[in-house]
Amino acid sequence: LEDLKLVQRKQGSGTYVTGRPAEEPSKQRQRSVALLFDSQGHVYSNIAEELVRLLQDQNYLALRFACDVGYPERPPRVLDKMIEQWKDDPPEVMVVGWYRQTFNRMLEDLRQSCGCRMIALEDPAVAGPGWHLVQSDVEAQARIAAEHLLACGHRRVGLVTHSRLIQANQPQTWRKQTMGNTPLIVALGHELRRSGKRGQLTIFYNNRPTDGGVDDPADEPNLTRAVQWLSQPDRPTAVVGSDYSLVKIIKAAKHVGLRIPDDLELLGIGDTPWSQAYGFSSINLNEPVIARHLADLVLMDDSPLGGSAHRILVSPILRQREGIV
């Protein structure tokens, strides 16, 4: 004890305590971020992987979630119970890509009561007042698609998108503004029509399976409808859609006897392994830049701008491919 300077001995007087054992520094709680979006989806998995890497470098713990099978637009049911528990000890930041009215109301309560920072990913409908938003620029996607296809001589362009899921309890003022890829429909139609070449837009709605299963490129009802769509005299000569949705169009084109890309050009959105495998051009959403902006918003708690709601649009990139499907 004397060697440790904790006691002092004085001959003829005694031994006295002169210090206390050095206390171990209290363990600092690791800061955590909840990734409340489908972190296993083709595009979103790239965003999640890069975001996790950036946050780990700053000693953050990232909690990743996947969606319910067959319901990619809905949060996992287990999150309702988890959010209740988070009221006592919530993550510091939540990156949210799902919208459900009760779910987002619970998140907003957490934001107001616990000061959690909320960042919406890709979907403006998710972002409430005071939420940050990071998304790929949809209008830029439409502009890239229109300019590319018009320059290739196409005038009749088709767009493949999911059927609209509009619920009765959603405010009528924003139903069509936020559901069914409406921003892309409106932007692409505007870009085609404002050109002096006056491109025409038609839409193929990819109906979701009635049994609640996962959309399948070989789904017979939608495939039959796609064959009918491509058999029309005024059929599109080019089709735009998510990479995955265009797989069904490839199958339908083969049924009709259309050659790709000679008779029908494809332009995907997402630049996923689907477009890479089949060899059609696709619009890359620039996932590393999206992830970097998300990380900056997570780490900006000491910034003087920390109290303002940021709206960040990330410019997409066209990946051209000359492969023949």
Side-chain angles (χ1 to χ4, degrees), residues 157-162 164 185 201-205 225 229:
V157 176
L159 174 64
V160 180
T161 182
H162 283 301
R164 299 168 188 266
I185 295 171
L201 178 66
T202 59
I203 302 171
F204 178 82
Y205 286 105
R225 293 175 54 247
W229 185 49

Side-chain angles (χ1 to χ4, degrees), residues 152-218:
C152 293
H154 298 285
R155 298 293 177 271
R156 298 191 304 275
V157 176
L159 174 64
V160 180
T161 182
H162 283 301
S163 55
R164 299 168 188 266
L165 295 176
I166 301 176
Q167 301 174 8
N169 62 350
Q170 292 165 347
Q172 195 162 6
T173 53
W174 60 266
R175 287 182 187 177
K176 290 188 176 181
Q177 281 72 29
T178 59
M179 303 300 294
N181 289 329
T182 301
L184 181 60
I185 295 171
V186 173
L188 184 56
H190 173 74
E191 290 294 333
L192 290 171
R193 284 167 176 75
R194 79 177 182 84
S195 166
K197 300 175 182 178
R198 303 290 293 177
Q200 176 185 358
L201 178 66
T202 59
I203 302 171
F204 178 82
Y205 286 105
N206 196 24
N207 294 330
R208 297 175 188 264
T210 55
D211 61 359
V214 181
D215 181 32
D216 186 336

